Amino acid sequence: MTPLTAHSALEPAGPLASQILRLFWLYFDVSALVFTLVIAVLGLALGRKAEAGSERSEPSSSAQRGKRRVVIGATVATALTLLGLLVASVATGHAMAQLPASAPLRVQVIAHKWWWEFRYSVSGRATQFSTAYELHVPVGQPVELQLVATDVIHSFWVPSLSGKRDAIPGKHNVLLIRADRPGSYEGACAEYCGTEHANMRFLVIAEAKAQFAAWREHQLDPAPAPQTPLEQRGFQLFASSRCAACHTISGTDAFATVGPDLSHLASRTRLAMGTLANDPSHLQRWLEDPQRDKPGVQMPSTPLSADDQRALVAYLRSLR
């Protein structure tokens, strides 16, 4: 597994995030300079007032002219500073829009309450596949994300790779990203969208092109058939329960799109949009009572006997 990079805009891993970081430091430096100057002038004014004591006299005309010049100079300096920051912001936006987009990988990003679906089309094939929680991308290749939402406004944000962009129902937005080094980069929804907004997380996994190609080919494979009697029992439970009414498992009769595609569920690192580790105990915990870990989530609990729970978990864990 590639190392996890902190959820931080201060650790860029691509050209877009680097442009944003340079603009941030420019704003930070200018703000620090302005703050220092304001404090210095305030201290000077307080010092002069202390020297004057309680004496009160009408200021001379030359003093008034001096104050007027100071106010005008400060106003002009402020306007020029703001204009310079505006120019820097526009230049940064222009530079980000110029990211070479030759042969980009195009991925449709669909925001749901409260999970992210990443839908890949494969060139030259009518086939497509989708994943949840993990967005895989090849290192060094621009990726065009086509953003849309199914319910309310969400916002896609991976601080280490780019700025945020809204996903809006009925509207298609586009965001370019590029990762220049391998790693797993944390992302989140940056627009409050309801109860589980804070748990609407995801990973962008950047890997070498050969590894990405192998991962993509594997995702196109149908889900493995159950092998052991326990897995076969679990598959029967899945097919005959409400699970098949919400989820897809390729190669089976389950093709619903209410919840995430589970065809290769066991190959993902975490469950429930990063809330739980993807291991047997947490998977069973999630199936028993999803509301315990993600209150408000649309997935209902799965009331089963202990033996049936083990069978269903065994089947889902076989989906690699």
Side-chain angles (χ1 to χ4, degrees), residues 57-139:
S57 60
E58 290 295 325
S60 64
S61 59
S62 61
Q64 289 180 331
R65 286 195 298 270
K67 290 180 180 179
R68 189 177 299 112
R69 284 195 294 268
V70 169
V71 171
I72 293 173
T75 302
V76 172
T78 300
L80 291 175
T81 300
L82 293 175
L83 179 61
L85 293 176
L86 174 62
V87 170
S89 298
V90 173
T92 298
H94 180 74
M96 293 174 64
Q98 300 307 307
L99 177 68
S102 55
L105 171 69
R106 290 184 172 87
V107 181
Q108 187 178 23
V109 179
I110 306 172
H112 306 263
K113 291 196 311 186
W114 289 274
W115 60 284
W116 295 94
E117 179 182 1
F118 306 111
R119 188 172 296 173
Y120 294 75
S121 297
V122 181
S123 179
R125 300 193 191 184
T127 310
Q128 64 178 14
F129 65 89
S130 68
T131 67
Y133 179 60
E134 294 178 359
L135 170 64
H136 287 247
V137 300
V139 169

Side-chain angles (χ1 to χ4, degrees), residues 281-282 284-295 297:
S281 61
H282 284 101
Q284 181 171 337
R285 173 189 174 97
W286 175 249
L287 294 173
E288 287 176 349
D289 186 9
Q291 302 297 324
R292 176 170 45 193
D293 296 294
K294 289 190 70 172
V297 71

Side-chain angles (χ1 to χ4, degrees), residues 3-310:
L4 180 64
T5 299
H7 183 81
S8 173
L10 301 180
E11 298 183 21
L16 296 169
S18 296
Q19 293 278 0
I20 294 172
L21 183 59
R22 281 193 287 271
L23 183 64
F24 166 79
W25 283 122
L26 174 63
Y27 269 73
F28 180 88
D29 292 341
V30 170
S31 299
L33 177 61
V34 170
F35 177 79
T36 302
L37 290 174
V38 168
I39 294 300
V41 171
L42 178 61
L44 180 62
L46 291 175
R48 288 186 175 181
K49 182 176 181 181
E51 289 178 2
S54 59
E55 295 181 3
R56 295 185 178 180
S57 60
E58 290 295 325
S60 64
S61 59
S62 61
Q64 289 180 331
R65 286 195 298 270
K67 290 180 180 179
R68 189 177 299 112
R69 284 195 294 268
V70 169
V71 171
I72 293 173
T75 302
V76 172
T78 300
L80 291 175
T81 300
L82 293 175
L83 179 61
L85 293 176
L86 174 62
V87 170
S89 298
V90 173
T92 298
H94 180 74
M96 293 174 64
Q98 300 307 307
L99 177 68
S102 55
L105 171 69
R106 290 184 172 87
V107 181
Q108 187 178 23
V109 179
I110 306 172
H112 306 263
K113 291 196 311 186
W114 289 274
W115 60 284
W116 295 94
E117 179 182 1
F118 306 111
R119 188 172 296 173
Y120 294 75
S121 297
V122 181
S123 179
R125 300 193 191 184
T127 310
Q128 64 178 14
F129 65 89
S130 68
T131 67
Y133 179 60
E134 294 178 359
L135 170 64
H136 287 247
V137 300
V139 169
Q141 181 178 354
V143 180
E144 181 182 289
L145 303 177
Q146 301 167 347
L147 304 169
V148 69
T150 61
D151 33 55
V152 299
I153 297 176
H154 303 273
S155 191
F156 183 95
W157 188 36
V158 190
S160 295
L161 298 180
S162 187
K164 68 170 188 169
R165 187 65 52 84
D166 286 346
I168 303 172
K171 178 179 175 61
H172 288 263
N173 278 341
V174 174
L175 176 67
L176 283 175
I177 64 171
R178 193 180 84 194
D180 286 343
R181 64 173 185 264
S184 296
Y185 303 98
E186 288 188 286
C189 178
E191 180 80 22
Y192 180 72
C193 55
T195 308
E196 283 302 308
H197 162 70
N199 285 326
M200 194 171 168
R201 294 173 285 180
F202 61 93
L203 280 182
V204 176
I205 300 177
E207 49 202 353
K209 291 184 179 181
Q211 290 178 295
F212 172 76
W215 172 84
R216 182 173 60 183
E217 288 301 314
H218 178 65
Q219 295 298 311
L220 286 166
D221 293 336
Q227 301 298 315
T228 67
L230 189 63
E231 292 173 3
Q232 292 170 359
R233 172 61 181 156
F235 171 70
Q236 293 171 356
L237 288 167
F238 180 93
S240 61
S241 69
R242 67 182 74 178
C243 301
C246 293
H247 297 281
T248 290
I249 294 182
S250 58
T252 73
D253 292 333
F255 50 84
T257 58
V258 177
D261 188 317
L262 304 181
S263 301
H264 300 283
L265 171 67
S267 66
R268 300 171 194 161
T269 57
R270 298 188 70 81
L271 301 167
M273 284 294 106
T275 307
L276 302 171
N278 192 359
D279 56 42
S281 61
H282 284 101
L283 178 56
Q284 181 171 337
R285 173 189 174 97
W286 175 249
L287 294 173
E288 287 176 349
D289 186 9
Q291 302 297 324
R292 176 170 45 193
D293 296 294
K294 289 190 70 172
V297 71
Q298 297 184 37
M299 178 172 169
S301 59
T302 309
L304 297 171
S305 67
D307 289 342
D308 284 347
Q309 284 180 350
R310 282 195 296 272

